[in-house]
Every structure is written in structure tokens, then in C-alpha cells.
Amino acid sequence: MTPSRNAPALRYAYGTNGLADLRLEDALGLLADLGYAGVGLTLDHMHLDPLAPRLPARTAEVGRALARHGLTATVETGARYVLDARRKHHPTLLDPDADARTARTDLLLKAVRVAADLGAHAVHCFSGPLPTGTDPETGWKRLADGVGTVLDAAGAAGLPVAIEPEPGHLLGDLAGFHRLRTALGSPELLGVTLDIGHCQCLEPRPPADCVRQAAPWLRHVQIEDMRRGDHTHLPFGDGEIDFPPVLAALREADYDGLVTVELPRDSHAGPARAADSFAFLTAAEAEAGTAAPARHGTLPQEEIPC
């Protein structure tokens, strides 16, 4: 597919974890006014608390708000302290304690129900770091067991589960995604959340190549700027990523999910960041459409380094 010269084909969204100082209704109105197509909805206490009473009723309210503003959603599960008020992102699917793993699994099952009720295009999740004293094989088995349970629920809803390779986690790259996918028997609904900044941070190939290599399994995209070797989410233009080739690669892949800006440390300037991000991305996509895309051969799966 050759990107056209016309205005954006990609569907941009902004993560609510970068708008934590706004009421959800205000955040949705802002994004709609700026031209965003959707929102990355993080299940957390400030917007849609997955642990508070009346979750189905509150979810229905959010669904009506999305409809009012003409937005779609993906459901994100990366809230820092939603399950443990003292330990960031704990517990995980790798926790040595079975009850702790169940708490994370239950959160993901709630996320599936929320996503189904909202008509979201995917549910996001992650593995977590390998706990101290846990051997990798045990970690991978726990991860497969937990994700398998979530996939069973997602299958009933026809909803993709998009696991994110995260620096420092057991599943930290696309090779890890393929290991999990193979262990689970290559289920159709298991896909990947590709964070473009993470590609720049630690992968040996350029982010645009990572997009091409992930394309068959791409169910969600997160995007921000980043520097090599530094896992800090940066506003666009403050890092090292060349974005027009990345956006061209997404269009070549006919990716039609949300491309969600992920700036969780910038909530203090959320409205300005959202405006600047949309302007940057639409300009970069227009620039990508002014030149024919480079054609790259497809690497055999065993050679994929991302």
C-alpha cells in the first residue's frame, strides 16, 4: 500500500494516563475537539476504577460519553498502583504467590468485560519483570497460564488481547511475544501492542522495521519519542525517532487500530501535550505521504530481532 497524500489515514488516540488531572468527560471532549479518533482508556481510580462498585453501570456511562464525542477506545491495564498501593505495577502474572497472580488475572478479566461493553478494539496487558528467585521457565509457564485464561474470556467476546513487550519485563521484545504465542498454540486473538518508543530504546533495528516485522500480529500501537538506551517517554521532537517512516510503515501494513500517544509523565501539561502531539503526528504522516515508501524484504521469523 502506498500512503496517499491526503489527510491522515491513521487513527490517533491519546492515553488517559497522560490526562490524569482532567475529569474523563473533559478529557474526551478535549480529544474530540483536537481531532483524535479515540482514547487509550487506562483502568485506574481517576477515570474508570475497575475495583469500585457498579463497574457495569459506570462503564455504560463511559460508553455513552464516547458515543457523544465520536471516539473509540482501547482498554489499557498499565495503571501503576491500581492493585497494590505501594508497589508499582504489582502484582503481575508472574508473581510467586498464586493469589497475587489471580488478582492480576481478575483485573484483566474485568478489562475484557469493560472492553466488550465499550466496543473497544483491543485489551492491552503486559508480563511484568521476572521476580527475584524465579527461574525463567517457571515465569514463562505462569505467563502462558494467565494469558491463556484471559484469552478464553476474550474469545467469547471476539476481542483481541494485545500484550506489550516492555523493557525490563520477561516479555520484553517481539521475540518474547513469539515465544508466548507459540507456547499457546498461536491463538488468533493474541496480538501485540507495539510501543514505538520501546523499539527505539532497545531494539537493534529501526522502529519502522519493527512495525513491518510485527505487522501480522499488530493489534495496538503506542507512540511517543524516545532515545536509545533510555526508557523515558518523551514528547515528540525531544527524542531520536524519525517518525515519517514509522507512520508510512503502519499505513503500508493497512493497520486500522488506534495509534495511542503514551505520555504518562506529562499529565501536568496534558491538554497542551495532546494538542502538540496531534499536530506533530498529522504533519509527520503528511510528510510520509509525499515520498514513495521504501520496500523491505520480510525476514524469516527466526531472524526477527525485535
Side-chain angles (χ1 to χ4, degrees):
M1 172 182 171
T2 301
S4 76
R5 295 171 182 265
N6 297 329
L10 296 174
R11 300 168 62 224
Y12 297 111
Y14 201 92
T16 58
N17 61 4
L19 296 169
D21 295 299
L22 274 66
R23 297 178 183 87
L24 183 58
E25 177 72 30
D26 292 338
L28 298 180
L30 169 72
L31 298 180
D33 288 347
L34 290 173
Y36 283 93
V39 61
L41 179 62
T42 297
L43 299 186
D44 207 349
H45 66 88
M46 76 287 288
H47 288 142
L48 184 57
D49 188 340
L51 304 184
R54 301 178 54 255
L55 180 59
R58 290 184 290 110
T59 300
E61 291 174 7
V62 172
R64 290 190 288 272
L66 289 169
R68 279 196 302 274
H69 294 293
L71 299 172
T72 57
T74 187
V75 172
E76 306 261 2
T77 60
R80 291 183 177 94
Y81 297 102
V82 69
L83 292 178
D84 187 326
R86 302 189 179 192
R87 296 188 303 161
K88 180 180 174 182
H89 295 320
H90 278 78
T92 73
L93 294 174
L94 310 181
D95 201 289
D97 183 80
D99 290 340
R101 295 198 300 275
T102 297
R104 175 60 63 174
T105 303
D106 286 348
L107 175 66
L108 296 177
L109 293 175
K110 287 182 179 181
V112 168
R113 291 193 290 272
V114 167
D117 289 347
L118 294 179
H121 79 82
V123 171
H124 155 275
C125 64
F126 55 87
S127 71
L130 186 68
T132 302
T134 300
D135 67 272
E137 290 303 320
T138 297
W140 283 107
K141 182 179 185 308
R142 289 172 183 165
L143 180 61
D145 288 345
V147 172
T149 298
V150 177
L151 281 169
D152 288 342
L159 187 70
V161 175
I163 193 163
E164 179 183 4
E166 182 81 22
H169 285 206
L170 177 66
L171 197 159
D173 53 22
L174 275 175
F177 165 72
H178 288 301
R179 175 171 178 164
L180 176 65
R181 182 178 62 84
T182 301
L184 288 170
S186 302
E188 183 178 353
L189 287 179
L190 179 62
V192 66
T193 292
L194 189 69
D195 188 304
I196 301 303
H198 295 173
C199 296
Q200 177 68 25
C201 176
L202 57 79
E203 302 292 1
R205 301 179 73 86
D209 284 355
C210 289
V211 170
R212 295 183 183 93
Q213 292 156 8
W217 305 278
L218 204 56
R219 299 296 177 267
H220 185 45
V221 173
Q222 295 174 346
I223 195 164
E224 69 284 315
D225 217 339
M226 204 168 285
R227 299 188 182 105
R228 186 75 178 164
D230 181 2
H231 184 202
T232 301
H233 291 232
L234 299 173
F236 297 103
D238 287 1
E240 301 170 340
I241 298 176
D242 183 11
F243 282 97
V246 173
L247 303 179
L250 287 168
R251 291 179 62 168
E252 289 171 40
D254 289 330
Y255 174 69
D256 62 358
L258 293 177
V259 180
T260 303
V261 177
E262 187 79 2
L263 291 173
R265 301 178 187 180
D266 285 56
S267 277
H268 65 285
R273 289 284 187 264
D276 292 346
S277 296
F278 189 78
F280 181 96
L281 290 169
T282 52
E285 187 177 348
E287 182 179 341
T290 63
R295 294 297 175 188
H296 296 257
T298 301
L299 294 176
Q301 184 173 311
E302 63 271 17
E303 295 180 20
I304 292 175
C306 286

